[in-house]
Amino acid sequence: MLTLWDHRFAQRTQRMESSAIRELLKFTENPDVISFAGGMPAPEVFPIEKFKEACLTVLDQNGPASLQYGSTDGYAPLREMIARYSARYGINVTIDNILITSGSQQALDLLGKILINPGDGVLVESPTYVGALQAWRAYGAEFVPVPTDEDGMMTSKLESCLRAGPKFIYALPNFQNPTGSTLAYDRRLKLIELAENYGVPIVEDDPYGQLRFEGENLPAIEVLDSQTRAQEECYSGNVIYLSTFSKTLAPGIRLAWVIAPPPVITKLIQAKQGTDLHTSTFNQMVAYEVAKDGFLYEHAKLIRKVYKERRDVMLDTLSEYMPEGVSWTHPKGGLFLWVTLPECLNSQDLFKDAVAEKVAFVPGDSFYAEGGGFNTMRLNFSNACPERINEGIFRLANVLKKHLVANS
Amino acid sequence: MLTLWDHRFAQRTQRMESSAIRELLKFTENPDVISFAGGMPAPEVFPIEKFKEACLTVLDQNGPASLQYGSTDGYAPLREMIARYSARYGINVTIDNILITSGSQQALDLLGKILINPGDGVLVESPTYVGALQAWRAYGAEFVPVPTDEDGMMTSKLESCLRAGPKFIYALPNFQNPTGSTLAYDRRLKLIELAENYGVPIVEDDPYGQLRFEGENLPAIEVLDSQTRAQEECYSGNVIYLSTFSKTLAPGIRLAWVIAPPPVITKLIQAKQGTDLHTSTFNQMVAYEVAKDGFLYEHAKLIRKVYKERRDVMLDTLSEYMPEGVSWTHPKGGLFLWVTLPECLNSQDLFKDAVAEKVAFVPGDSFYAEGGGFNTMRLNFSNACPERINEGIFRLANVLKKHLVANS
């Protein structure tokens, strides 16, 4: 129904649509549906007792300050802790390089706000995180997709894309959302070299870096980039690095951070002032209290153990139940794997029948900035317990087989 | 220092600047400074024990859900509670009319995102809330100021402004930020009538409505507008109403809400998905737990009592210490009053000396979309205790007297 309001909405809203993933979350509310949609952590690993203690400590020791307005850049002790935490991974920064955001989604939005003029190109992996596409479409971005394979962004195809003059490169180097693939070491170096040559900055989104189940951690693009620079060039570092507490602590507190050169942080703070003033003081203090004594390192071990088991169950059951012609990635960490169906199948069509059979996933097409990917799907393995993963993949394979028969 | 980054920032960032108020908050960190800047609630009235109970209850009864991702529109029981709460003030809506936001500042940002094309006019009171100007400048708004007096927006001047074709009217009807003035009843009716005639919607920002110390509550513009409509016209209601828990509960949890016709809510949800996915699940559940049994009604009585006392002290000490030629408003509620100095004085100049004398305020010019107001200042009376208000106004009057002498 057209209403009086429709003609009032801004032009940019014509490019706004509900994210398929967010819409799908409502299917996960029915506990009968085994959902591989969404990107939700395992609720079993949330450190609830730690949160209880932390809430009481914060309210006892810092009650008035925790409930009061705070500064836009974020709670200083939390930013100091993030600086120490980052140093363990080779990222050497001070609190002046760190801004606290209300989840990484806000970091993506703020980066769009400060960097994207309507019509600006943004170089993205194909496929890529749909939330980034959604955030930047609102600012009029035009996406320049770079193909990916099992080793992540195909840097051999990068140079021709860079000639299009994109405003920045968006890279998800570790256990990428949606494919689960990891950017190979030599490709990281190539990406940095080309970005530097073309004067194009890199936005490195790393929500899953601490969730590697096997193999060696690879250095962050941020780390490799800074190794190419002299100390005094810290103002011209070419990488904006994003990470979050959503996957190692809890997403419900909406806490993430940006690491960037000070001129970028200054501009992000200005943008954030007008966007939400600041991120919840209380949540920042509680997260600091939970995490300050190294809890995240220990807790990440538990998460890795749980997620590895779930990934293994999903890989095993995919092998066991899926018909020939279906393939999938073997992520070494993170929350997702990526399934490619025979070309004759359409995952949107499949989705409706899957939900009827009480199993859900995300059809892959929404992750492609340029369209396509109709025979792909993203499966999340972090949220469901092993028994439900087994049952869910069994159901999904059956739906798929029916569609294959109908198409043959 | 110009850096490599400067040429990369989007055009809209050229209109972005740090809010004077936010910058001033850093002065308030020095406990020796008596700050009438900022808009901070009295920390003494934060219901810390209620929060402790609520955090434990939420984590005990709903731990995993409270720490998990949630839906973009907000926690349904909280939205239901807001619907019940609003009904007490004559606003009759369902949860489909309500979106939870990360503070009212986010509501302003999202409204800018969905309504403002670059160059669109936005009709604002002069002076008005600086955070709204900041939020909407980022979307390219051009402001159309309407003069105000002690009865709020001068609706006699409204029609000529409406002929400029603004996208919407921004009104702060109760104890306006910054002046503390309240829009008179007959002006509310006139505003609604003219807005309807010109087909221009009204954004009604009401953070302080529950904080009236004296006189009768006036009906919200939202209420008066809906009284002019038949039931079936609910989709075409002309008012978007904003309120918040920041002033009646605590700002540090960043929780506010929008009440609007469903087509607006739908568009706001799409915009919010790309902006921060959703507002903290944990904070929404905790606020619901604190407030669900009518706590806000009782608590608002306490806040009104404390703030009325502080306002009275500020009015009394202004009368006692201020030299001739200085005038101020007599707000019947809220957090602020507005001081007008002799034309020869500049409040920016005054500010530097005031901080040296350990008292702070907000120079008034930043509240004027069109510039000007250099002889005005905003004083907050909610945050400091009576003794400090007395001492602070004494210090401020002395600084002012010195400037008067220097100018004579």
Side-chain angles (χ1 to χ4, degrees):
Chain A
M1 182 179 72
L2 266 183
T3 71
L4 181 60
W5 284 95
D6 290 275
H7 78 276
R8 289 172 172 165
F9 295 127
Q11 274 185 310
R12 72 178 70 80
T13 68
Q14 293 163 16
R15 293 165 59 115
M16 237 174 239
E17 47 192 42
S18 287
S19 148
I21 295 180
R22 303 295 304 169
E23 290 295 309
L24 291 175
L25 274 179
K26 64 185 170 206
F27 292 111
T28 70
E29 282 168 19
N30 177 350
D32 290 345
V33 174
I34 297 173
S35 178
F36 305 130
M40 294 205 274
E44 299 85 355
V45 302
F46 290 149
I48 293 173
E49 289 304 315
K50 286 287 284 186
F51 268 97
K52 281 164 68 172
E53 287 166 31
C55 287
L56 293 183
T57 303
V58 165
L59 288 165
D60 276 333
Q61 298 179 357
N62 259 319
S66 74
L67 298 176
Q68 189 58 282
Y69 285 112
S71 67
T72 303
D73 48 6
Y75 181 50
L78 183 67
R79 286 154 63 220
E80 281 159 14
M81 190 193 78
I82 290 168
R84 289 195 302 275
Y85 179 82
S86 304
R88 281 180 68 137
Y89 305 101
I91 300 176
N92 294 306
V93 289
T94 73
I95 66 166
D96 294 330
N97 298 99
I98 298 172
L99 170 69
I100 303 295
T101 59
S102 305
S104 276
Q105 188 68 38
Q106 186 184 45
L108 298 173
D109 176 59
L110 295 177
L111 286 170
K113 209 171 209 174
I114 70 161
L115 292 174
I116 300 172
N117 289 315
D120 275 351
V122 175
L123 205 151
V124 295
E125 294 157 356
S126 176
T128 192
Y129 172 53
V130 65
L133 300 176
Q134 197 185 5
W136 297 332
R137 274 194 189 113
Y139 297 102
E142 301 291 337
F143 297 105
V144 184
V146 188
T148 62
D149 62 17
E150 278 184 26
D151 288 329
M153 183 192 287
M154 294 171 72
T155 44
S156 60
K157 314 272 189 184
L158 192 56
E159 196 152 7
S160 62
C161 298
L162 281 166
R163 287 201 196 98
K167 203 62 180 282
F168 60 86
I169 302 165
Y170 177 57
L172 290 144
N174 295 318
F175 328 119
Q176 193 234 26
N177 182 354
T179 65
S181 71
T182 292
L183 189 64
Y185 184 79
D186 58 332
R187 291 191 181 180
R188 293 179 189 226
L189 295 179
K190 189 74 184 165
L191 170 60
I192 289 163
E193 182 196 329
L194 286 171
E196 179 71 16
N197 288 352
Y198 281 84
V200 177
I202 301 166
V203 173
E204 177 179 22
D205 194 358
D206 189 24
Y208 319 114
Q210 305 320 310
L211 303 182
R212 178 181 277 275
F213 318 141
E214 60 190 51
E216 290 289 305
N217 277 322
L218 293 177
I221 297 170
E222 160 76 28
V223 172
L224 295 171
D225 177 75
S226 64
Q227 286 170 0
T228 69
R229 294 172 200 286
Q231 187 66 40
E232 64 270 23
E233 286 186 315
C234 68
Y235 276 82
S236 59
N238 205 30
V239 179
I240 297 169
Y241 176 90
L242 314 182
S243 195
T244 177
F245 291 113
S246 289
K247 306 307 186 289
T248 52
L249 203 52
I253 55 169
R254 311 304 302 125
L255 273 188
W257 65 92
V258 183
I259 292 176
V264 179
I265 295 293
T266 300
K267 199 60 86 173
L268 286 171
I269 290 172
Q270 289 174 2
K272 187 170 163 67
Q273 280 181 358
T275 300
D276 70 353
L277 293 185
H278 65 85
T279 294
S280 167
T281 330
F282 183 65
N283 293 10
Q284 291 186 72
M285 287 190 174
V286 168
Y288 171 72
E289 195 58 37
V290 169
K292 67 177 181 183
D293 294 326
F295 173 76
L296 286 184
Y297 307 113
E298 290 307 307
H299 191 57
K301 288 181 196 166
L302 169 67
I303 297 174
R304 286 193 291 264
K305 180 171 169 289
V306 171
Y307 288 10
K308 180 181 186 303
E309 183 192 2
R310 293 178 181 198
R311 180 207 60 174
D312 290 343
V313 170
M314 190 172 273
L315 288 174
D316 289 349
T317 51
L318 283 167
S319 295
E320 188 175 343
Y321 301 130
M322 280 292 168
E324 213 169 322
V326 179
S327 63
W328 49 88
T329 57
H330 290 64
K332 293 188 166 123
L335 280 70
F336 304 107
L337 61 77
W338 185 249
V339 176
T340 304
L341 308 170
E343 297 251 343
C344 63
L345 293 188
N346 180 312
S347 64
Q348 290 273 8
D349 295 342
L350 217 63
F351 178 75
K352 297 178 190 88
D353 289 347
V355 170
E357 297 295 325
K358 301 202 182 329
V359 58
F361 58 88
V362 184
D365 57 299
S366 56
F367 299 96
Y368 288 89
E370 72 279 26
F374 293 107
N375 65 325
T376 59
M377 59 171 80
R378 190 191 73 177
L379 299 185
N380 167 270
F381 53 76
S382 62
N383 188 244
C385 64
E387 297 68 34
R388 279 169 72 91
I389 291 176
N390 180 73
E391 173 63 22
I393 296 295
F394 178 74
R395 291 179 193 172
L396 184 59
N398 283 341
V399 174
L400 220 147
K401 286 172 191 165
K402 276 185 207 155
H403 275 249
L404 275 175
V405 170
N407 273 277
S408 66
Chain B
M1 184 180 69
L2 266 182
T3 71
L4 181 62
W5 283 96
D6 290 275
H7 78 276
R8 290 172 171 163
F9 295 127
Q11 275 184 311
R12 74 179 67 79
T13 68
Q14 293 164 15
R15 293 166 59 115
M16 235 173 240
E17 49 194 42
S18 287
S19 147
I21 295 179
R22 304 294 303 167
E23 291 295 310
L24 292 176
L25 274 178
K26 66 185 170 207
F27 292 110
T28 70
E29 283 168 17
N30 177 350
D32 290 346
V33 174
I34 297 175
S35 180
F36 305 130
M40 296 204 275
E44 298 86 355
V45 301
F46 290 150
I48 293 173
E49 289 304 315
K50 286 288 283 185
F51 268 97
K52 282 165 70 172
E53 287 167 30
C55 287
L56 293 183
T57 304
V58 166
L59 288 165
D60 276 333
Q61 297 178 359
N62 259 320
S66 73
L67 298 176
Q68 190 57 282
Y69 285 113
S71 67
T72 303
D73 48 6
Y75 181 50
L78 183 68
R79 287 153 64 221
E80 281 159 14
M81 190 193 79
I82 290 167
R84 290 195 303 275
Y85 179 82
S86 304
R88 279 180 69 138
Y89 304 100
I91 300 177
N92 293 305
V93 290
T94 73
I95 65 166
D96 295 330
N97 297 98
I98 299 172
L99 170 69
I100 303 294
T101 58
S102 306
S104 275
Q105 188 67 38
Q106 187 185 44
L108 298 173
D109 175 59
L110 295 176
L111 287 170
K113 210 171 208 174
I114 71 162
L115 292 173
I116 300 173
N117 289 315
D120 275 352
V122 175
L123 205 150
V124 296
E125 294 156 354
S126 177
T128 191
Y129 172 53
V130 63
L133 300 176
Q134 198 185 5
W136 297 333
R137 275 192 188 116
Y139 297 103
E142 302 290 338
F143 297 106
V144 183
V146 188
T148 62
D149 63 16
E150 277 184 28
D151 287 330
M153 183 192 287
M154 295 172 71
T155 45
S156 60
K157 315 272 189 182
L158 192 56
E159 195 152 8
S160 61
C161 298
L162 282 166
R163 288 202 194 98
K167 204 62 183 281
F168 59 88
I169 301 165
Y170 177 57
L172 289 145
N174 295 319
F175 328 119
Q176 194 233 26
N177 181 355
T179 65
S181 70
T182 292
L183 188 64
Y185 184 80
D186 58 331
R187 291 191 181 182
R188 293 178 190 229
L189 295 178
K190 190 72 183 166
L191 170 61
I192 290 162
E193 182 196 330
L194 286 172
E196 179 72 16
N197 288 353
Y198 281 84
V200 176
I202 300 167
V203 172
E204 177 180 22
D205 194 358
D206 189 24
Y208 320 113
Q210 304 320 309
L211 303 183
R212 179 181 277 274
F213 319 140
E214 60 190 50
E216 288 290 305
N217 277 323
L218 292 176
I221 297 171
E222 159 76 29
V223 171
L224 294 170
D225 177 77
S226 64
Q227 285 170 0
T228 69
R229 294 169 199 288
Q231 186 67 40
E232 64 272 21
E233 286 185 315
C234 66
Y235 277 83
S236 58
N238 206 29
V239 179
I240 296 170
Y241 176 90
L242 315 183
S243 195
T244 178
F245 291 114
S246 289
K247 306 305 185 291
T248 51
L249 204 50
I253 55 169
R254 309 307 300 126
L255 273 187
W257 64 93
V258 182
I259 292 176
V264 178
I265 294 292
T266 301
K267 200 59 87 177
L268 286 171
I269 290 172
Q270 289 173 2
K272 186 169 163 68
Q273 280 182 358
T275 300
D276 70 353
L277 294 184
H278 64 85
T279 294
S280 168
T281 330
F282 183 65
N283 293 9
Q284 291 185 72
M285 287 189 174
V286 168
Y288 172 71
E289 195 59 36
V290 169
K292 67 178 182 184
D293 294 326
F295 173 76
L296 287 184
Y297 308 114
E298 289 307 308
H299 191 57
K301 286 182 198 166
L302 169 66
I303 297 173
R304 286 192 292 263
K305 180 171 169 290
V306 171
Y307 289 10
K308 180 182 187 302
E309 183 192 1
R310 293 179 180 197
R311 180 208 58 172
D312 289 344
V313 171
M314 190 172 273
L315 289 174
D316 289 349
T317 51
L318 282 167
S319 296
E320 188 174 345
Y321 301 130
M322 281 292 168
E324 211 169 323
V326 180
S327 62
W328 49 89
T329 57
H330 290 64
K332 293 189 166 123
L335 280 70
F336 304 107
L337 62 76
W338 185 248
V339 175
T340 304
L341 308 171
E343 299 250 344
C344 63
L345 293 188
N346 180 311
S347 63
Q348 291 274 6
D349 296 341
L350 217 60
F351 179 73
K352 296 177 193 88
D353 290 345
V355 170
E357 297 295 324
K358 299 204 183 329
V359 58
F361 59 87
V362 184
D365 57 300
S366 56
F367 299 96
Y368 287 88
E370 72 279 25
F374 293 106
N375 65 327
T376 60
M377 58 170 82
R378 190 190 74 178
L379 299 184
N380 167 270
F381 53 75
S382 60
N383 188 244
C385 64
E387 295 70 31
R388 280 169 71 89
I389 291 176
N390 180 74
E391 172 63 23
I393 296 295
F394 178 74
R395 292 180 192 172
L396 184 59
N398 282 342
V399 174
L400 221 147
K401 285 172 191 165
K402 276 185 208 155
H403 275 249
L404 275 176
V405 169
N407 273 277
S408 67

